[in-house]
Amino acid sequence: MHEDAQLPLLASGRRLTRADALDRLATLVGVDLRPLADRYGVTVWRDGRRNKGWAGMVVERYLGLAANGTQAPDFGDWELKVVPLALAADGRLRLKETMAVTMFTAADLESREFEESHLLAKLGRIVVVARVYEGPEEARSVVQAVAGFDLTDADRAQVRADYEEARWMVRTQGAWALDGRVGRLVQPRPKGAGHGSGGMGFYAKKALVTRMLGIGA
DNA sequence: CTATGATCATCC
DNA sequence: GGATGATCATAG
């Protein structure tokens, strides 16, 4: 690993181009993220509870971006995501989870066209970093792959169809009609602190994320 | 409370 | 073992 691996490539993470980020992230393949969490002061465990987003925060810091709650692509025109891979019964690494993309409200959904949605803004131009999940201890987690991905025309059409389906359900049956069974590539699911918070988020289903990573099904 | 970073827990 | 709903840490 580089001597200055903890330093941001640019003064402002937001100006980091995707090409530069991919170059820099390439040096992270094969690297254990866990020691970096300590180096960056990213909490992994707190009072016996896990910071589920620790790996994502570590990679953000690696690229020089501070944690923030802005509902926009992390680096201006492209989005960074970190996803876990886990060893399957057949001995191969597979995507462990769906990927949370962005939150939305019923009002957002009804008023915003797909082309103007946060969903497309984040999914359209993305960089996915895959890490190996070894166990709940998170004693070690090595970066397995890094991939830049632009939504293909076909995927984009299906994602739009999923978005329109969710809109249609909200308009005709109300927000409560939405659940994870809606959508083929992206799905609306409850998300947010506490139960019944009413928050919803769009999640990229495994098939889409797997395609982004360019790994077998 | 809402967003970010996500994964956990449970039900099928 | 996969899919869906619930939840954790942090920032504004």
Side-chain angles (χ1 to χ4, degrees), chain A residues 10-215:
Chain A
L10 301 176
S12 168
R14 290 197 147 274
R15 304 177 75 93
L16 185 65
T17 67
R18 189 169 70 160
D20 285 342
L22 285 170
D23 284 346
R24 184 159 178 72
L25 290 172
T27 68
L28 215 45
V29 174
V31 172
D32 182 0
L33 295 176
R34 189 59 182 75
L36 293 180
D38 295 332
R39 184 181 308 175
Y40 294 149
V42 171
T43 301
V44 176
W45 293 98
R46 177 81 115 204
D47 299 328
R49 287 171 303 191
R50 180 182 340 190
N51 173 10
K52 298 176 180 178
W54 75 268
M57 297 171 79
V58 165
V59 177
E60 285 186 333
R61 288 294 309 275
Y62 187 76
L63 293 179
L65 185 69
N68 72 89
T70 305
Q71 191 175 35
D74 298 310
F75 294 87
D77 72 339
W78 62 275
E79 173 75 8
L80 174 69
K81 292 289 180 189
V82 176
V83 296
L85 304 180
L87 211 50
D90 63 4
R92 301 176 50 117
L93 286 173
R94 273 197 174 66
L95 188 67
K96 180 173 176 288
E97 304 283 348
T98 54
M99 185 180 80
V101 180
T102 189
M103 289 187 73
F104 67 90
T105 65
D108 288 337
L109 199 54
E110 293 196 78
S111 64
R112 303 197 82 160
E113 294 302 322
F114 174 66
E115 302 300 330
E116 305 304 319
S117 68
H118 292 301
L119 176 63
L120 176 59
K122 296 192 176 194
L123 219 44
R125 258 172 80 70
I126 195 169
V127 170
V128 183
V129 175
R131 72 180 182 100
V132 179
Y133 170 92
E134 296 191 9
E137 308 80 12
E138 301 282 23
R140 172 179 56 207
S141 188
V142 174
V143 173
Q144 176 75 15
V146 176
F149 185 86
D150 291 340
L151 213 51
T152 63
D153 289 345
D155 284 340
R156 180 193 180 99
Q158 182 58 59
V159 171
R160 179 195 338 213
D162 291 344
Y163 184 86
E164 293 301 340
E165 182 182 6
R167 287 180 105 181
W168 174 255
M169 292 191 71
V170 168
R171 282 197 281 247
T172 59
Q173 304 170 57
W176 290 107
L178 288 182
D179 64 36
R181 293 171 299 184
V182 175
R184 292 185 55 88
L185 290 183
V186 296
Q187 60 183 168
R189 272 162 53 197
K191 184 181 191 295
H195 70 288
S197 62
M200 296 287 290
F202 275 115
Y203 287 74
K205 301 181 84 167
K206 290 184 182 181
L208 178 56
V209 180
T210 295
R211 203 176 308 152
M212 289 177 167
L213 287 170
I215 62 180

